[in-house]
Amino acid sequence: MEAFRQTYQRLCREGGLEPQQSVVVQLQEGGAHGSTLNLSGQGLSSDTCLVLGRALHNDTGVTELLLTDCMLTEEGAKLLLTGLFQNTTVKVLDLKGNNLRAEGAKVLGKLLTHNQSLNRLVLEWNALGVWDEGFSLFCEGLASNAGLQQLDLRNNQISHQGASELALALKFNNTMEVLDLRWNNIGLLGGRSLLEALQRNQRLVQLELAGNNIPSDALRALEQKAAHNLDKQTTLRENRSRSLVLCKEFNRLKEEKGWQFLRQMETIDRQKEEMERSSRSTSIQIGQLQEALNDRKSTINSLTAKLQMREAALALCEQKNHQLGELLTQLKANEEDLKEQLNKERMKEQEDTALLEKKLLREIQNLTETNLHLRSKVVEMEHKSKFQHEQIFELKQELTNRMSESKLRLAQAEDRLEMEKQRSKKVLEDMDVMRQQEVENVNRRLDEGERVLQERIFRLEGQRIQLEQDLSKAKALCITERTQAEEELGRVQAQLRLEEQQRVSALMEKLQAARSSLQEVQLQCSQQKQMTSDLQAKNSQQRAEMDGLQRRMEDLQQELSGKDQQRVAEVTRVRLELQEQEGRLQAERTAQGGLRERVSALERELKLLISNHREALFDKESQMSSMMEKLRLKEAEIQRMREDEEHRASCLQTAILTYCQRPPSYPRDPLSYPRDPPSYPRDLIYRSEPDPQTRSRDQIQGPDPQT
């Protein structure tokens, strides 16, 4: 507030005015506490109001302005309030007891039009409602205001016309919450107009109307409407708080779903990598199977070539059979001896061929096992080389990290040196020496780290080169072994061919020499046919194995395509599930909003029904009490009438009996009757005079129709 006092004095000096001493003293002695400017009870002149208005125009420290009983003139109020048109910090304005009239009402209307930051306005003990034109301008400003929440208009001589103008303003104002109109002259018409305004204004929660000559039913309706607005505002605040909580929960769920989606995508990526690895492994397996298939094809080709050779030999044998048919008669003598010898030799040859075949099969199996072992070694070497590559990459990263750390340390050291240089110039040389030493140390450390890392890289490079050499050696060894195995296989095949040729030549020599019989030739032909059938069976078996391998390759390709389709379907399914969950959450949110609106409407209807039901119950209870009272009176009257009838009947009976028992010697002349009156019952005499209670009841209810 010291700044405000200085501003006030400066503006007074600039305008050539003398500062009002009471205002200055009030500011110096603490008339303004914190952000509150309290000038209550100070008689402010027009010049002082002008300076205060200029000071408040751009002030940002005053939030409450108290001007109670300051005896402001119309001109002074206009100048002071004009300075508040562009002010955005004053929240409370108190103008109690300043006798503001038409001009003051107009300026207040303009203030409410231009200033949208004012929250509370106190105008008690003024005369704003005396002139209708000024008060209508004030109401227009109130209608266009969007920031005022509390308005105090007590004792302002507001009539029913002013109340109608105020009600019209309240229809367009959506921020007013508290309105005090006590001790005015609003009357019944003004109360009705305010009630109509409250039918549209749902924001006003407190309306004070004591001392305005408004009937009690209108006051009760206004209070009920204000209470209804208060309930609405409380429900709106609760709904807003709940909506904020729901929004936070929705955002939290959305974040969780996003994290879940990211995790799902990571798992999908991992599955994709695994599938790629499996596809690579399957491709390797397919290549191996293709190589095996090529080997089988080569063996089948060799077997087909052998089969063709055997068929050619068979054809030659058949030709020779035709030629030897002529010599069959000559060779019958030596048939038995040669048959025995040939059988023995044939058995030996079969045993020798079986042994050779077993030996060759064992050698082939050993070669295949060594080939598989070498392939496993090659795979292990490749894994080792990959691991070495990864270590080299990690070491390079570590080297870059060390370099960056060293650079950061060097930068930090330079920053420290610069700070030390600014602190003192005397120690500059020492600090330079220290910096140089530290730089040298850092450089030395960097050189040592680089040297160590380079040595480690060199070692790893050497290991990698050695591993590559080992791998190349293993590959060369595998190739040499394979070539050796192929050469050995070729030698064995050549040896078998030579042996077969020798055997054929021996057989031919034996056939030519021994002139074996036709049955033996036929037996050999049958054996040759059997061998051809065996070879054909083996060929079909090899073809079946080839078909099985091709089917397996196709199955593997189908599995790969199926896995890709499953991965794509899983991704689409996850996306669809997330979209469905978001849609369900949005639908639940809208449904909750609709349910809240429906619940609020049902609560309002329930309150109305309860109030109507209570009023109806009260009316019914009052009617029942009145009917019960009437019923009780009727029952008492009926009982009394029954007693009267009984008395009358007994009296008539006694009279008839006395009349019947009277002697007939009585003269007919009335003068001759006895002068004593007849003894009537006392009840009849008592009933001759009406009861005052029954007379009053008869006068109220009328004569009884039965009587």
Side-chain angles (χ1 to χ4, degrees):
M1 297 309 280
E2 183 66 24
F4 184 80
R5 185 178 66 81
Q6 292 176 2
T7 305
Y8 172 69
Q9 292 179 352
R10 180 176 57 78
L11 290 173
C12 288
R13 286 194 300 272
E14 289 176 358
L17 301 173
E18 186 68 26
Q20 189 171 343
Q21 195 65 28
S22 60
V23 176
V24 176
V25 169
Q26 188 70 18
L27 291 173
Q28 287 178 351
E29 292 180 356
H33 301 284
S35 60
T36 303
L37 179 59
N38 189 358
L39 298 176
S40 300
Q42 305 294 332
L44 302 179
S45 62
S46 299
D47 296 335
T48 303
C49 292
L50 176 62
V51 175
L52 287 173
R54 291 178 180 175
L56 290 169
H57 182 72
N58 295 320
D59 185 71
T60 58
V62 179
T63 58
E64 294 186 12
L65 182 59
L66 306 180
L67 300 174
T68 304
D69 298 328
C70 289
M71 295 180 289
L72 297 176
T73 61
E74 297 286 338
E75 185 67 23
K78 184 176 180 180
L79 294 171
L80 180 60
L81 295 175
T82 305
L84 292 173
F85 282 179
Q86 304 299 326
N87 189 288
T88 59
T89 57
V90 176
K91 305 296 181 184
V92 179
L93 178 60
D94 191 352
L95 294 172
K96 178 181 177 182
N98 284 290
N99 199 18
L100 298 178
R101 296 178 182 272
E103 292 296 328
K106 292 178 182 179
V107 175
L108 284 169
K110 292 179 181 179
L111 173 64
L112 292 175
T113 303
H114 292 89
N115 192 328
Q116 303 293 327
S117 61
L118 197 63
N119 292 331
R120 185 168 178 264
L121 180 59
V122 180
L123 298 173
E124 185 183 357
W125 288 105
N126 287 290
L128 300 177
V130 176
W131 284 270
D132 295 334
E133 184 180 357
F135 193 70
S136 65
L137 292 174
F138 171 76
C139 292
E140 289 177 1
L142 181 62
S144 63
N145 187 271
L148 192 64
Q149 297 178 358
Q150 298 180 11
L151 179 60
D152 190 353
L153 291 173
R154 288 179 289 178
N155 294 297
N156 271 277
Q157 303 180 18
I158 300 171
S159 62
H160 62 89
Q161 294 178 357
S164 62
E165 293 288 338
L166 188 61
L168 184 62
L170 288 175
K171 289 180 180 179
F172 297 98
N173 189 288
N174 294 321
T175 58
M176 184 72 67
E177 294 182 356
V178 179
L179 179 60
D180 196 347
L181 293 173
R182 288 179 289 181
W183 309 110
N184 286 292
N185 193 15
I186 292 174
L188 178 60
L189 297 176
R192 288 179 179 175
S193 59
L194 288 173
L195 185 60
E196 291 177 358
L198 285 179
Q199 297 294 332
R200 184 173 178 180
N201 191 321
Q202 307 292 329
R203 185 80 177 183
L204 195 63
V205 297
Q206 184 177 353
L207 181 61
E208 301 290 341
L209 291 170
N212 279 284
N213 297 323
I214 299 174
S216 60
D217 54 351
L219 279 174
R220 196 179 301 110
L222 288 167
E223 288 175 357
Q224 288 179 357
K225 188 62 182 174
H228 184 60
N229 289 341
L230 179 61
D231 294 336
K232 279 187 177 180
Q233 292 298 322
T234 53
T235 53
L236 281 173
R237 291 192 189 96
E238 290 176 356
N239 290 330
R240 285 172 185 169
S241 62
R242 289 174 183 172
S243 63
L244 289 173
V245 171
L246 288 172
C247 288
K248 290 178 181 177
E249 187 69 20
F250 178 73
N251 292 325
R252 185 179 65 77
L253 290 172
K254 192 174 181 181
E255 290 176 357
E256 289 180 357
K257 293 298 179 183
W259 284 111
Q260 289 178 1
F261 180 73
L262 291 174
R263 288 195 291 271
Q264 193 70 23
M265 291 301 292
E266 289 176 358
T267 55
I268 289 166
D269 293 334
R270 287 197 296 272
Q271 290 177 359
K272 188 176 179 181
E273 292 175 358
E274 291 177 358
M275 289 176 69
E276 289 177 355
R277 286 197 295 272
S278 64
S279 64
R280 286 197 294 270
S281 63
T282 51
S283 63
I284 292 166
Q285 291 177 1
I286 289 165
Q288 293 174 358
L289 292 171
Q290 190 70 32
E291 291 177 357
L293 186 62
N294 293 326
D295 295 335
R296 293 293 178 86
K297 283 182 180 178
S298 62
T299 53
I300 288 165
N301 292 326
S302 64
L303 289 171
T304 52
K306 286 182 181 180
L307 181 62
Q308 289 175 1
M309 291 173 66
R310 293 294 176 87
E311 286 178 353
L314 182 62
L316 290 172
C317 289
E318 285 179 354
Q319 289 177 4
K320 289 179 181 179
N321 188 12
H322 287 292
Q323 292 176 3
L324 294 171
E326 296 175 357
L327 300 173
L328 184 61
T329 57
Q330 297 177 2
L331 297 173
K332 287 182 179 179
N334 299 323
E335 184 178 357
E336 293 178 356
D337 298 332
L338 291 172
K339 189 182 288 185
E340 291 177 358
Q341 292 177 1
L342 287 172
N343 286 327
K344 291 178 181 179
E345 289 176 358
R346 185 166 52 79
M347 291 295 290
K348 288 180 181 179
E349 287 175 358
Q350 287 179 358
E351 289 175 356
D352 294 334
T353 53
L355 290 171
L356 284 171
E357 286 178 357
K358 289 179 181 179
K359 186 177 179 181
L360 288 172
L361 287 171
R362 282 197 299 273
E363 289 177 355
I364 289 165
Q365 287 178 358
N366 293 325
L367 288 172
T368 54
E369 288 176 356
T370 54
N371 192 4
L372 290 172
H373 184 65
L374 289 171
R375 282 180 183 175
S376 64
K377 282 185 178 180
V378 168
V379 172
E380 288 178 358
M381 291 295 181
E382 288 178 355
H383 283 300
K384 286 181 180 179
S385 65
K386 286 182 182 179
F387 182 69
Q388 293 294 330
H389 281 299
E390 290 177 356
Q391 284 185 350
I392 290 164
F393 181 70
E394 289 177 356
L395 288 171
K396 286 181 180 179
Q397 284 185 351
E398 188 176 358
L399 179 60
T400 54
N401 292 327
R402 291 285 181 85
M403 290 290 288
S404 62
E405 288 178 359
S406 62
K407 287 179 182 179
L408 287 172
R409 288 178 182 175
L410 185 60
Q412 290 175 1
E414 288 177 357
D415 293 335
R416 287 198 297 271
L417 286 170
E418 287 178 0
M419 290 173 67
E420 292 293 332
K421 187 177 179 180
Q422 290 178 1
R423 286 180 184 174
S424 61
K425 293 181 180 180
K426 294 179 182 181
V427 204
L428 185 61
E429 296 177 357
D430 298 333
M431 294 302 290
D432 289 333
V433 172
M434 290 172 67
R435 184 176 64 80
Q436 290 176 1
Q437 291 177 358
E438 190 171 356
V439 169
E440 288 175 359
N441 292 325
V442 171
N443 290 325
R444 189 167 59 253
R445 289 173 191 168
L446 286 172
D447 294 334
E448 290 176 358
E450 288 178 357
R451 188 170 61 255
V452 171
L453 291 172
Q454 286 177 1
E455 289 176 358
R456 194 172 178 183
I457 288 166
F458 289 152
R459 286 198 301 272
L460 291 171
E461 288 286 340
Q463 290 177 3
R464 186 176 64 80
I465 292 165
Q466 187 177 0
L467 289 170
E468 288 178 354
Q469 290 176 359
D470 294 336
L471 183 62
S472 62
K473 287 178 182 179
K475 287 182 179 178
L477 182 62
C478 182
I479 291 166
T480 53
E481 288 180 355
R482 188 174 179 180
T483 53
Q484 288 175 3
E486 288 177 354
E487 289 175 357
E488 189 174 356
L489 185 62
R491 286 196 300 273
V492 170
Q493 287 177 357
Q495 188 177 0
L496 287 171
R497 286 172 186 170
L498 289 172
E499 288 177 354
E500 284 180 359
Q501 289 176 3
Q502 291 175 2
R503 196 179 300 114
V504 169
S505 62
L507 287 171
M508 290 295 292
E509 289 175 357
K510 287 178 181 180
L511 284 169
Q512 288 176 5
R515 307 276 196 253
S516 61
S517 64
L518 182 61
Q519 293 179 357
E520 186 178 356
V521 173
Q522 289 178 355
L523 182 63
Q524 287 179 357
C525 289
S526 64
Q527 287 177 358
Q528 292 292 329
K529 287 179 181 180
Q530 188 176 0
M531 288 173 69
T532 54
S533 64
D534 293 332
L535 290 172
Q536 288 177 359
K538 287 182 180 179
N539 191 5
S540 63
Q541 187 177 1
Q542 293 290 332
R543 286 179 182 175
E545 288 178 358
M546 286 175 64
D547 294 332
L549 290 171
Q550 288 179 357
R551 284 196 296 274
R552 189 175 177 186
M553 288 171 64
E554 290 175 357
D555 293 332
L556 289 171
Q557 289 178 358
Q558 288 178 0
E559 286 179 1
L560 286 172
S561 62
K563 286 182 178 179
D564 291 332
Q565 291 176 0
Q566 287 178 1
R567 181 177 59 79
V568 173
E570 187 70 18
V571 171
T572 54
R573 185 178 63 78
V574 170
R575 288 178 181 172
L576 289 172
E577 286 178 357
L578 290 172
Q579 290 177 2
E580 288 176 358
Q581 288 178 0
E582 288 179 356
R584 283 199 297 272
L585 290 170
Q586 192 68 24
E588 288 177 359
R589 188 178 178 184
T590 53
Q592 286 178 0
L595 287 171
R596 288 195 193 92
E597 293 176 358
R598 190 174 178 184
V599 166
S600 60
L602 289 172
E603 286 177 353
R604 290 195 295 272
E605 292 177 0
L606 185 61
K607 288 180 180 178
L608 291 172
L609 289 171
I610 288 169
S611 61
N612 295 328
H613 186 63
R614 285 178 182 173
E615 291 176 357
L617 282 174
F618 291 149
D619 295 333
K620 292 291 183 182
E621 286 178 356
S622 61
Q623 290 178 4
M624 285 176 67
S625 60
S626 62
M627 292 296 290
M628 289 295 289
E629 186 66 26
K630 289 180 181 180
L631 183 61
R632 188 176 60 79
L633 293 172
K634 287 287 185 182
E635 287 178 353
E637 189 173 358
I638 289 166
Q639 186 68 26
R640 191 173 56 251
M641 288 172 64
R642 286 177 181 174
E643 291 176 356
D644 292 342
E645 289 294 330
E646 288 177 358
H647 286 300
R648 287 177 184 175
S650 62
C651 291
L652 286 171
Q653 187 178 3
T654 53
I656 289 167
L657 289 173
T658 53
Y659 181 75
C660 292
Q661 290 176 3
R662 183 181 299 171
S665 59
Y666 277 14
R668 293 184 177 268
D669 189 3
L671 295 174
S672 62
Y673 287 165
R675 294 187 179 181
D676 294 329
S679 61
Y680 292 105
R682 295 184 66 184
D683 293 330
L684 289 175
I685 298 169
Y686 180 76
R687 286 295 297 162
S688 62
E689 289 292 331
D691 190 12
Q693 294 180 356
T694 57
R695 183 171 57 195
S696 63
R697 188 169 60 251
D698 293 335
Q699 289 177 1
I700 293 169
Q701 297 179 356
D704 194 2
Q706 294 180 1
T707 57

